[in-house]
Amino acid sequence: MRLADLKKASSVAVHFAHSGEVDERVNTLGLSVLEGSVAEVKTDKELFSVVAEAMKFPDYFGNNWDALDECLSDLDWLPVDGYLLILRDAGKGWSRDPYLLGCFVTAWLESAEYWVEKQTPFHLIFVI
């Protein structure tokens, strides 16, 4: 993963990195850098909570997959030139429930298609 690639809208929107690869330089990309941890995520509700808090979802977020899809493809409350969600402790999260995080990746990639059309960077980094 090259940091410069994160400044571009791309269907390659999900990345994996070691903690040393993601540093303060991400804050110089001109993107809204949002962070959370999936270390303790065991259920979809816990995942929704982490993502909603990190991405500052509005109070009306419904804590379900449809609401997640809707919010990921909206983001009007974060008017910026691009988005970067960093989910830390991903090794623990993927070990605990790979199916759940796989479903989240699917939702993310579906939303990324929308953002590519808008020429807006929309990236997710799982930090191992």
Side-chain angles (χ1 to χ4, degrees):
M1 175 195 70
R2 295 178 331 144
L3 287 178
D5 293 339
L6 299 176
K7 293 173 71 171
K8 302 173 187 170
S10 172
S11 59
V12 179
V14 177
H15 313 273
F16 293 83
H18 293 284
S19 60
E21 295 175 288
V22 179
D23 57 28
E24 66 279 347
R25 292 178 296 157
V26 297
N27 294 315
T28 67
L29 297 173
L31 307 175
S32 180
V33 179
L34 312 155
E35 295 191 48
S37 171
V38 292
E40 301 301 321
V41 168
K42 298 178 207 122
T43 67
D44 56 353
K45 300 298 184 216
E46 291 171 342
L47 176 63
F48 299 147
S49 177
V50 168
V51 173
E53 184 176 328
M55 299 191 77
K56 301 170 180 65
F57 282 179
D59 292 337
Y60 62 78
F61 173 61
N63 289 300
N64 59 59
W65 289 104
D66 289 336
L68 177 73
D69 291 340
E70 183 179 315
C71 283
L72 289 178
S73 296
D74 183 351
L75 299 174
D76 282 343
W77 56 91
L78 290 174
V80 295
D81 294 331
Y83 306 93
L84 173 59
L85 175 61
I86 299 171
L87 292 179
R88 298 197 178 274
D89 308 307
K92 291 179 184 178
W94 281 97
S95 294
R96 189 179 309 272
D97 196 337
Y99 178 77
L100 176 63
L101 289 181
C103 289
F104 179 66
V105 166
T106 299
W108 188 272
L109 291 173
E110 288 173 0
S111 294
E113 290 177 22
Y114 167 81
W115 291 109
V116 165
E117 290 176 14
K118 300 264 185 204
Q119 293 297 304
T120 302
F122 184 76
H123 295 277
L124 166 63
I125 300 176
F126 285 104
V127 179
I128 308 285

